[in-house]
Amino acid sequence: MESVLNIKLSEKLYHRNPVETELGRKIISQSIELIHELGIEDFTFRKLALYMNTTEAGIYRYFENKYRLLTYLVDWYWSWLEFQISVRTKNLPDPETKIKKLIHLLGTPITDDVNTSYVDEKLLYEVVVREGVKTYLTKNVEEDNKANLFKPYKDLCKRIEAILLDYNSEYKYPRTLASTIIETGHFQSFFSLHLPGLTDLNGGKENTKVIRFLEDLVFSALSKK
Amino acid sequence: MESVLNIKLSEKLYHRNPVETELGRKIISQSIELIHELGIEDFTFRKLALYMNTTEAGIYRYFENKYRLLTYLVDWYWSWLEFQISVRTKNLPDPETKIKKLIHLLGTPITDDVNTSYVDEKLLYEVVVREGVKTYLTKNVEEDNKANLFKPYKDLCKRIEAILLDYNSEYKYPRTLASTIIETGHFQSFFSLHLPGLTDLNGGKENTKVIRFLEDLVFSALSKK
DNA sequence: CATGTAAAGATAGTAATACTATCATTTCAA
DNA sequence: TTGAAATGATAGTATTACTATCTTTACATG
C-alpha cells in the first residue's frame, strides 16, 4: 500500500483514475508543485509534461484540461480536510473546543501528512488558497455542480454546520457561516501575506492572527443575545 | 460632457486612456457584456473585436491583455462604489444606519446609474462578483500591488473601516472586517444563485437574505461584550 | 485651403496553447 | 506466450496572444 489514507473522488473529474498508476500519482504531485510555482493561468499541460519528463498526450489521458485537474486537487484537499476535522474533533469534550479546533485546522497548513505519500499538503494548501475559488467562479458552475464536482466542499460545509449547530442550535445561518469561515480564512491569509494593506492581521507568526479574528467573529455570531 | 461622474484610474492600467475616445468607451461597455456572457477564461480580444466590429490590434492599443482590462473594470467598480457609499451615507444620522446602508449598497446591484453613460452597473456588478477576485489571486499580486493596481479596493476598505470604527472605536479588526464584508457579500450572493447547497440564503428576493446575514454578522462582531 | 498628427482600420505574421490522432514500445498478468 | 493496458513518440490543427506595418480617416491649426 502506497497510501494509508485513501480518498475517493468523483469519476467525472478524470478520464483515467490517477491514483491507480505511477504516472497518475506523479501527475498529482508534480502538478501541485508546478501550479504552485506558475499559477493556474500560466500553467499548461505542455509545461507539466516537460517538467516531469513525460508527454503532453500522456497527461491528457488522465485529465480533460487543467481546470479539471485543479478541481481534482481542490476536491482532494477538501476531502482530506474533512477527514482531518472529523478525526481531530471527535473526542473533544465540548462544541466550543471543537469550533476552536476546526478554525485552527482551517487556518493552519498542516505539515506534510505521512499517510499521503504523493501529496504535499503544505504546498497544496497554498494552491487551494490562491486557486481554489477559480474552480467554481466560472460560467459553468451550475453544470459542474450537477456533475457533483463540488461535493467534497459541500460535505465539508455540512460537517462544519453540524458543529456550529451543536454549539447553538438556534443560529439562523449555520451553513452560510460555515462557508464564510472557510473562504474568509483563505483570503485573509492571502491578504496578510500579499496585500497587507487590506487587513489588520499582518506580522503574526503563521496564521495565528487570522485564527483569532475568525474565533472572535464566529463566537460573537453564535452567541445568543 | 458624456459622463457627469468621472472616475480617474491609474495610468498603469492601460496604454491609452479608454475614456477619452469613442473606441475606448466602446471597449469598456462591450467588454463588460462579453465577459459577462463568456467568463474571463473564454473571453479573448479576438472575440471582443468581432463582437464590436473592430480589430484585435485596435484593442491592444488600449489594454495590454484581458486581465489588465478586467482589473480596469473592477477598479472602476470599486471607485464607483466608494463614491456611492460616500454620497449615500454622508447625511445619515448615526453609525448604525450608515453600516446598514453600506451593507445594503454592497449587496444590491444598483440599477444602471444614469451618470455613467458607457457602463451598465448591474452587469458590471455580476462580472465583479464572479471575476473580481481573479485580479488579485495571481502569482504577480505583489508586483501589481506595488504598481498600485488595487488602490481603489484599498480605498474602499479604508472608508468602510472608518464607518465601522465610528460605531465601535474599540473593535480590533476593522479593516479585516471591511474586506470580509465585501468578499463575503460577493460569494454568498454567488452561492445563493448558483450553488444553493452551500448557503441558507436562497429563495429570497434579490440579495435581501445575504444582507440580513451580513447585518447579523457585523453587528454581533462589533457589539461590545 | 493645405497640412500635420492622432486614431482607427486592414492585413499579416509568429510563437505558444489546447487539444486530438496514430502508431510503436513496454509491462505485467493470465 | 500472448494479449491487454499503459506509456512513449511524433505529428497535426485550430485558436490564442500577441507585434508590426501600412493605409485611411478625422479634425485641428496656421
Side-chain angles (χ1 to χ4, degrees), chain B residues 69-181:
Chain B
L69 168 58
L70 178 64
T71 305
Y72 182 93
L73 298 176
V74 173
D75 274 1
W76 191 98
Y77 184 78
W78 297 133
S79 301
W80 176 83
L81 188 59
E82 200 211 330
F83 178 76
Q84 294 298 320
I85 289 175
S86 94
V87 168
R88 290 170 194 241
T89 61
K90 184 163 275 170
N91 296 317
L92 295 176
D94 56 300
E96 188 182 330
T97 322
K98 284 189 186 186
I99 291 175
K100 282 185 180 163
K101 184 73 191 175
L102 86 83
I103 289 176
H104 200 269
L105 287 169
L106 284 169
T108 316
I110 291 163
T111 39
D112 202 21
D113 186 337
V114 287
N115 294 316
T116 57
S117 53
Y118 51 89
V119 175
D120 180 336
E121 283 82 12
K122 178 100 170 25
L123 228 48
L124 182 54
Y125 171 80
E126 291 174 17
V127 166
V128 172
V129 166
R130 194 182 59 207
E131 319 289 354
V133 300
K134 296 172 191 170
T135 59
Y136 64 76
L137 289 178
T138 64
K139 247 287 157 176
N140 32 316
V141 221
E142 304 195 9
E143 207 182 309
D144 290 351
N145 188 34
K146 269 181 202 145
N148 257 310
L149 300 196
F150 310 119
K151 188 170 181 300
Y153 189 68
K154 285 184 188 173
D155 289 346
L156 176 62
C157 283
K158 281 180 205 158
R159 180 171 296 272
I160 294 174
E161 180 188 15
I163 297 175
L164 298 176
L165 281 175
D166 218 19
Y167 180 86
N168 175 356
S169 61
E170 313 264 278
Y171 183 63
K172 272 157 73 184
Y173 315 102
R175 190 163 304 179
T176 307
L177 188 57
S179 49
T180 298
I181 297 170

Side-chain angles (χ1 to χ4, degrees), chain A:
Chain A
M1 259 315 223
E2 283 277 319
S3 168
V4 181
L5 169 62
N6 249 312
I7 284 171
K8 198 126 179 71
L9 297 173
S10 163
E11 288 175 17
K12 301 232 170 91
L13 287 165
Y14 48 78
H15 287 137
R16 182 177 298 171
N17 192 342
V19 302
E20 283 171 4
T21 65
E22 198 51 42
L23 181 63
R25 288 184 293 266
K26 217 176 138 195
I27 290 172
I28 304 300
S29 58
Q30 311 265 79
S31 68
I32 294 171
E33 291 173 22
L34 200 59
I35 293 172
H36 187 270
E37 193 181 319
L38 301 176
I40 193 69
E41 286 82 11
D42 287 348
F43 169 87
T44 69
F45 278 181
R46 199 172 131 67
K47 287 174 185 167
L48 179 61
L50 283 167
Y51 184 71
M52 53 190 276
N53 248 304
T54 183
T55 59
E56 219 184 331
I59 298 166
Y60 277 106
R61 287 196 186 106
Y62 284 84
F63 292 99
E64 204 180 319
N65 58 51
K66 65 180 180 181
Y67 288 99
R68 278 296 150 98
L69 168 56
L70 179 64
T71 305
Y72 183 93
L73 297 175
V74 173
D75 275 1
W76 192 97
Y77 184 77
W78 297 132
S79 301
W80 176 83
L81 187 60
E82 200 210 330
F83 178 77
Q84 295 297 319
I85 289 176
S86 95
V87 169
R88 291 172 195 240
T89 61
K90 183 163 277 174
N91 295 316
L92 295 177
D94 57 301
E96 186 181 334
T97 323
K98 284 189 188 188
I99 292 176
K100 282 187 179 161
K101 185 71 193 176
L102 86 83
I103 289 177
H104 200 269
L105 286 169
L106 284 168
T108 316
I110 291 163
T111 39
D112 201 21
D113 186 337
V114 287
N115 294 316
T116 58
S117 53
Y118 50 90
V119 175
D120 179 335
E121 282 82 11
K122 177 101 166 33
L123 228 48
L124 181 54
Y125 170 81
E126 290 174 15
V127 167
V128 172
V129 166
R130 195 183 56 208
E131 319 289 355
V133 299
K134 296 172 192 171
T135 58
Y136 64 76
L137 288 178
T138 64
K139 246 287 157 175
N140 33 313
V141 221
E142 304 194 11
E143 207 181 309
D144 290 352
N145 188 33
K146 268 180 202 146
N148 256 311
L149 300 196
F150 310 120
K151 188 171 183 299
Y153 189 68
K154 285 183 187 173
D155 290 346
L156 177 61
C157 283
K158 281 180 207 159
R159 182 172 294 272
I160 294 173
E161 180 188 14
I163 297 175
L164 298 176
L165 281 174
D166 217 18
Y167 180 86
N168 176 356
S169 61
E170 314 263 278
Y171 183 64
K172 273 159 70 185
Y173 314 102
R175 191 163 303 179
T176 308
L177 188 57
S179 48
T180 298
I181 297 170
I182 298 171
E183 298 299 340
T184 302
H186 281 182
F187 69 76
Q188 290 302 337
S189 152
F190 187 85
F191 287 166
S192 80
L193 276 170
H194 305 293
L195 293 166
L198 287 176
T199 183
D200 323 271
L201 308 174
N202 358 358
K205 209 175 69 170
E206 301 239 307
N207 277 328
T208 43
K209 292 200 175 181
V210 175
I211 290 168
R212 254 178 247 144
F213 165 73
L214 282 177
E215 283 181 7
D216 184 88
L217 188 76
V218 169
F219 285 113
S220 2
L222 289 178
S223 73
K224 295 170 197 174
K225 280 134 240 166

